[in-house]
Amino acid sequence: MNYPIPDSPQEIFALKQQPVDEELVASAIAGVIKIVRSQGQSLEDLTAQLLADDPVLDQQQRRWLSTVVTQAWESFG
């Protein structure tokens, strides 16, 4: 992977400066999972946040992202 897994929200935010590709998205998702876990939140907490109404993603996109994040969460064990 060309991008390290972010350790903080600031590092995730800094990824916006990079061109978007699959590795960048994977790094951002891994970083979010790492941060959420370090804060003692569960997959259910994260899923609820992902599925909440959002002006950027429509409902179908939020469900798809939730599925991807769930798979990543489970693969990180």
Side-chain angles (χ1 to χ4, degrees):
M1 183 180 285
N2 292 328
Y3 304 97
I5 295 175
D7 289 319
S8 69
Q10 295 80 8
E11 289 180 11
I12 290 174
F13 186 75
L15 293 175
K16 290 176 65 173
Q17 305 304 316
Q18 304 296 326
V20 176
D21 64 14
E22 293 159 349
E23 288 188 15
L24 180 74
V25 173
S27 178
I29 290 171
V32 167
I33 291 170
K34 185 177 184 180
I35 292 166
V36 166
R37 283 183 169 174
S38 73
Q39 295 174 345
Q41 296 182 21
S42 68
L43 174 59
E44 291 75 23
D45 296 329
L46 179 55
T47 301
Q49 292 174 17
L50 291 171
L51 293 175
D53 280 339
D54 181 276
V56 177
L57 302 175
D58 64 31
Q59 186 178 32
Q60 182 178 356
Q61 291 168 323
R62 290 192 309 268
R63 281 195 308 264
W64 175 83
L65 181 57
S66 176
T67 300
V68 170
V69 168
T70 298
Q71 291 170 351
W73 181 289
E74 292 169 353
S75 72
F76 288 131

